Amino acid sequence: MKLSKIFIASILILLAVSLIPILMLLNQWGAGSQSYGITTSDSQQIRFRWQDVNQQVHHYPASVGTYTYLFLAFLSCSEICPIRIKQLDQLEQRIEQDALLAKVDIQFIFVTIDPDNDSFAVRQAMIDGRSKRFVSASLVEEDLYSLEFLLSDNINRELTTISHVGNLFLLAPNGNIERIYTAKQLSIPKMLIDLNHIISAQL
């Protein structure tokens, strides 16, 4: 009887010890499968008409297979906007260093929420001149307000300076919102994991 209890206890200990690495692996897999950016169940596609620095009119989405990082901002902003632009600079550098992502059509669209002051020349110098992936867009007032409403970007123009959230949106080629990044400080490596996951899932 005593030997039987010892045998059963030994079996239980072995099972417990063997389960620990399995549980750790499952936990790691679960954590890795979570996205860094916020996902949304809203399947509404983002569509808008915009004007570039050469006053040419375009429609978004325009080309098949292009992933887009979209953010609404203004160039005299001294808070979140410069941070976002720097983050996208860093993200583009990492994309160019990645053998797979460097071949993917990825663009960064800056939509001005202050088109009266963000002139074509200023936009060219601060956004479009950075690289071929960066483009700045101005929208007519009605279209801009519609886009702000769709993105729930909470822009307030009633103050002495424009107040806005400064969220960054990752859009699929069809215009669906894949991720929303709300934090002021963003992790570029985690954003790359999100991007790789989304692109791989659509191949």
Side-chain angles (χ1 to χ4, degrees), residues 24-34:
M24 289 177 65
L25 183 62
L26 288 173
N27 183 61
Q28 184 179 14
W29 178 83
S33 66
Q34 295 176 358

Side-chain angles (χ1 to χ4, degrees), residues 34-54:
Q34 295 176 358
S35 65
Y36 174 59
I38 298 170
T39 58
T40 174
S41 58
D42 188 358
S43 60
Q44 186 173 16
Q45 295 179 343
I46 302 300
R47 298 185 181 279
F48 57 90
R49 181 180 54 186
W50 59 281
Q51 189 180 54
D52 64 22
V53 293
N54 296 313

